[in-house]
mmCIF file with all atom_site columns, all heavy atoms in Angstrom:
data_model
loop_
_atom_site.group_PDB
_atom_site.id
_atom_site.type_symbol
_atom_site.label_atom_id
_atom_site.label_alt_id
_atom_site.label_comp_id
_atom_site.label_asym_id
_atom_site.label_entity_id
_atom_site.label_seq_id
_atom_site.pdbx_PDB_ins_code
_atom_site.Cartn_x
_atom_site.Cartn_y
_atom_site.Cartn_z
_atom_site.occupancy
_atom_site.B_iso_or_equiv
_atom_site.pdbx_formal_charge
_atom_site.auth_seq_id
_atom_site.auth_comp_id
_atom_site.auth_asym_id
_atom_site.auth_atom_id
_atom_site.pdbx_PDB_model_num
ATOM 1  N N   . LEU D 1 23 ? -59.215 29.490 -37.410 1.00 93.00 ? 70 LEU D N   1
ATOM 2  C CA  . LEU D 1 23 ? -59.737 30.676 -38.102 1.00 93.00 ? 70 LEU D CA  1
ATOM 3  C C   . LEU D 1 23 ? -58.676 31.763 -38.257 1.00 93.00 ? 70 LEU D C   1
ATOM 4  O O   . LEU D 1 23 ? -58.532 32.360 -39.322 1.00 93.00 ? 70 LEU D O   1
ATOM 5  C CB  . LEU D 1 23 ? -60.954 31.237 -37.346 1.00 93.00 ? 70 LEU D CB  1
ATOM 6  C CG  . LEU D 1 23 ? -61.726 32.336 -38.092 1.00 93.00 ? 70 LEU D CG  1
ATOM 7  C CD1 . LEU D 1 23 ? -62.231 31.810 -39.431 1.00 93.00 ? 70 LEU D CD1 1
ATOM 8  C CD2 . LEU D 1 23 ? -62.875 32.844 -37.264 1.00 93.00 ? 70 LEU D CD2 1
ATOM 9  N N   . GLY D 1 24 ? -57.905 31.976 -37.186 1.00 91.00 ? 71 GLY D N   1
ATOM 10 C CA  . GLY D 1 24 ? -56.858 32.994 -37.250 1.00 91.00 ? 71 GLY D CA  1
ATOM 11 C C   . GLY D 1 24 ? -55.858 32.695 -38.359 1.00 91.00 ? 71 GLY D C   1
ATOM 12 O O   . GLY D 1 24 ? -55.435 33.575 -39.108 1.00 91.00 ? 71 GLY D O   1
ATOM 13 N N   . LEU D 1 25 ? -55.496 31.435 -38.454 1.00 91.00 ? 72 LEU D N   1
ATOM 14 C CA  . LEU D 1 25 ? -54.534 31.026 -39.492 1.00 91.00 ? 72 LEU D CA  1
ATOM 15 C C   . LEU D 1 25 ? -55.139 31.225 -40.873 1.00 91.00 ? 72 LEU D C   1
ATOM 16 O O   . LEU D 1 25 ? -54.483 31.709 -41.796 1.00 91.00 ? 72 LEU D O   1
ATOM 17 C CB  . LEU D 1 25 ? -54.177 29.546 -39.280 1.00 91.00 ? 72 LEU D CB  1
ATOM 18 C CG  . LEU D 1 25 ? -52.957 29.026 -40.013 1.00 91.00 ? 72 LEU D CG  1
ATOM 19 C CD1 . LEU D 1 25 ? -51.696 29.638 -39.434 1.00 91.00 ? 72 LEU D CD1 1
ATOM 20 C CD2 . LEU D 1 25 ? -52.881 27.517 -39.895 1.00 91.00 ? 72 LEU D CD2 1
ATOM 21 N N   . ALA D 1 26 ? -56.434 30.885 -40.990 1.00 91.00 ? 73 ALA D N   1
ATOM 22 C CA  . ALA D 1 26 ? -57.093 30.980 -42.297 1.00 91.00 ? 73 ALA D CA  1
ATOM 23 C C   . ALA D 1 26 ? -57.186 32.421 -42.755 1.00 91.00 ? 73 ALA D C   1
ATOM 24 O O   . ALA D 1 26 ? -56.983 32.724 -43.932 1.00 91.00 ? 73 ALA D O   1
ATOM 25 C CB  . ALA D 1 26 ? -58.487 30.356 -42.220 1.00 91.00 ? 73 ALA D CB  1
ATOM 26 N N   . VAL D 1 27 ? -57.497 33.294 -41.815 1.00 88.00 ? 74 VAL D N   1
ATOM 27 C CA  . VAL D 1 27 ? -57.639 34.710 -42.170 1.00 88.00 ? 74 VAL D CA  1
ATOM 28 C C   . VAL D 1 27 ? -56.317 35.259 -42.709 1.00 88.00 ? 74 VAL D C   1
ATOM 29 O O   . VAL D 1 27 ? -56.257 35.898 -43.752 1.00 88.00 ? 74 VAL D O   1
ATOM 30 C CB  . VAL D 1 27 ? -58.101 35.526 -40.943 1.00 88.00 ? 74 VAL D CB  1
ATOM 31 C CG1 . VAL D 1 27 ? -57.918 37.001 -41.184 1.00 88.00 ? 74 VAL D CG1 1
ATOM 32 C CG2 . VAL D 1 27 ? -59.551 35.213 -40.633 1.00 88.00 ? 74 VAL D CG2 1
ATOM 33 N N   . VAL D 1 28 ? -55.243 34.974 -41.983 1.00 87.00 ? 75 VAL D N   1
ATOM 34 C CA  . VAL D 1 28 ? -53.940 35.490 -42.415 1.00 87.00 ? 75 VAL D CA  1
ATOM 35 C C   . VAL D 1 28 ? -53.502 34.817 -43.710 1.00 87.00 ? 75 VAL D C   1
ATOM 36 O O   . VAL D 1 28 ? -53.031 35.462 -44.641 1.00 87.00 ? 75 VAL D O   1
ATOM 37 C CB  . VAL D 1 28 ? -52.878 35.277 -41.313 1.00 87.00 ? 75 VAL D CB  1
ATOM 38 C CG1 . VAL D 1 28 ? -51.498 35.642 -41.803 1.00 87.00 ? 75 VAL D CG1 1
ATOM 39 C CG2 . VAL D 1 28 ? -53.234 36.093 -40.093 1.00 87.00 ? 75 VAL D CG2 1
ATOM 40 N N   . PHE D 1 29 ? -53.671 33.531 -43.786 1.00 84.00 ? 76 PHE D N   1
ATOM 41 C CA  . PHE D 1 29 ? -53.252 32.789 -44.963 1.00 84.00 ? 76 PHE D CA  1
ATOM 42 C C   . PHE D 1 29 ? -54.057 33.218 -46.176 1.00 84.00 ? 76 PHE D C   1
ATOM 43 O O   . PHE D 1 29 ? -53.531 33.465 -47.251 1.00 84.00 ? 76 PHE D O   1
ATOM 44 C CB  . PHE D 1 29 ? -53.429 31.293 -44.710 1.00 84.00 ? 76 PHE D CB  1
ATOM 45 C CG  . PHE D 1 29 ? -52.817 30.420 -45.761 1.00 84.00 ? 76 PHE D CG  1
ATOM 46 C CD1 . PHE D 1 29 ? -51.682 30.804 -46.449 1.00 84.00 ? 76 PHE D CD1 1
ATOM 47 C CD2 . PHE D 1 29 ? -53.367 29.185 -46.058 1.00 84.00 ? 76 PHE D CD2 1
ATOM 48 C CE1 . PHE D 1 29 ? -51.110 29.994 -47.414 1.00 84.00 ? 76 PHE D CE1 1
ATOM 49 C CE2 . PHE D 1 29 ? -52.797 28.361 -47.015 1.00 84.00 ? 76 PHE D CE2 1
ATOM 50 C CZ  . PHE D 1 29 ? -51.680 28.766 -47.688 1.00 84.00 ? 76 PHE D CZ  1
ATOM 51 N N   . GLY D 1 30 ? -55.357 33.323 -45.988 1.00 79.00 ? 77 GLY D N   1
ATOM 52 C CA  . GLY D 1 30 ? -56.232 33.657 -47.101 1.00 79.00 ? 77 GLY D CA  1
ATOM 53 C C   . GLY D 1 30 ? -55.900 35.006 -47.695 1.00 79.00 ? 77 GLY D C   1
ATOM 54 O O   . GLY D 1 30 ? -55.873 35.171 -48.910 1.00 79.00 ? 77 GLY D O   1
ATOM 55 N N   . LEU D 1 31 ? -55.638 35.972 -46.847 1.00 77.00 ? 78 LEU D N   1
ATOM 56 C CA  . LEU D 1 31 ? -55.427 37.306 -47.381 1.00 77.00 ? 78 LEU D CA  1
ATOM 57 C C   . LEU D 1 31 ? -53.979 37.570 -47.749 1.00 77.00 ? 78 LEU D C   1
ATOM 58 O O   . LEU D 1 31 ? -53.673 38.037 -48.833 1.00 77.00 ? 78 LEU D O   1
ATOM 59 C CB  . LEU D 1 31 ? -55.865 38.356 -46.366 1.00 77.00 ? 78 LEU D CB  1
ATOM 60 C CG  . LEU D 1 31 ? -55.690 39.753 -46.936 1.00 77.00 ? 78 LEU D CG  1
ATOM 61 C CD1 . LEU D 1 31 ? -56.655 39.968 -48.068 1.00 77.00 ? 78 LEU D CD1 1
ATOM 62 C CD2 . LEU D 1 31 ? -55.872 40.796 -45.882 1.00 77.00 ? 78 LEU D CD2 1
ATOM 63 N N   . VAL D 1 32 ? -53.111 37.280 -46.828 1.00 75.00 ? 79 VAL D N   1
ATOM 64 C CA  . VAL D 1 32 ? -51.725 37.674 -47.027 1.00 75.00 ? 79 VAL D CA  1
ATOM 65 C C   . VAL D 1 32 ? -50.907 36.554 -47.654 1.00 75.00 ? 79 VAL D C   1
ATOM 66 O O   . VAL D 1 32 ? -49.748 36.737 -47.983 1.00 75.00 ? 79 VAL D O   1
ATOM 67 C CB  . VAL D 1 32 ? -51.109 38.082 -45.664 1.00 75.00 ? 79 VAL D CB  1
ATOM 68 C CG1 . VAL D 1 32 ? -49.731 38.636 -45.839 1.00 75.00 ? 79 VAL D CG1 1
ATOM 69 C CG2 . VAL D 1 32 ? -51.995 39.093 -44.991 1.00 75.00 ? 79 VAL D CG2 1
ATOM 70 N N   . ARG D 1 33 ? -51.527 35.414 -47.799 1.00 76.00 ? 80 ARG D N   1
ATOM 71 C CA  . ARG D 1 33 ? -50.848 34.265 -48.385 1.00 76.00 ? 80 ARG D CA  1
ATOM 72 C C   . ARG D 1 33 ? -49.597 33.905 -47.604 1.00 76.00 ? 80 ARG D C   1
ATOM 73 O O   . ARG D 1 33 ? -48.614 33.463 -48.174 1.00 76.00 ? 80 ARG D O   1
ATOM 74 C CB  . ARG D 1 33 ? -50.481 34.531 -49.850 1.00 76.00 ? 80 ARG D CB  1
ATOM 75 C CG  . ARG D 1 33 ? -51.634 34.469 -50.788 1.00 76.00 ? 80 ARG D CG  1
ATOM 76 C CD  . ARG D 1 33 ? -51.988 33.035 -51.140 1.00 76.00 ? 80 ARG D CD  1
ATOM 77 N NE  . ARG D 1 33 ? -53.021 32.991 -52.167 1.00 76.00 ? 80 ARG D NE  1
ATOM 78 C CZ  . ARG D 1 33 ? -54.310 32.989 -51.908 1.00 76.00 ? 80 ARG D CZ  1
ATOM 79 N NH1 . ARG D 1 33 ? -54.726 33.042 -50.660 1.00 76.00 ? 80 ARG D NH1 1
ATOM 80 N NH2 . ARG D 1 33 ? -55.195 32.943 -52.874 1.00 76.00 ? 80 ARG D NH2 1
ATOM 81 N N   . VAL D 1 34 ? -49.661 34.157 -46.327 1.00 75.00 ? 81 VAL D N   1
ATOM 82 C CA  . VAL D 1 34 ? -48.527 33.819 -45.479 1.00 75.00 ? 81 VAL D CA  1
ATOM 83 C C   . VAL D 1 34 ? -48.953 32.755 -44.494 1.00 75.00 ? 81 VAL D C   1
ATOM 84 O O   . VAL D 1 34 ? -49.983 32.875 -43.849 1.00 75.00 ? 81 VAL D O   1
ATOM 85 C CB  . VAL D 1 34 ? -48.051 35.074 -44.708 1.00 75.00 ? 81 VAL D CB  1
ATOM 86 C CG1 . VAL D 1 34 ? -47.234 34.672 -43.492 1.00 75.00 ? 81 VAL D CG1 1
ATOM 87 C CG2 . VAL D 1 34 ? -47.237 35.960 -45.599 1.00 75.00 ? 81 VAL D CG2 1
#
Side-chain angles (χ1 to χ4, degrees):
Chain D
L70 190 59
L72 195 69
V74 166
V75 173
F76 190 31
L78 182 67
V79 186
R80 285 280 186 271
V81 160

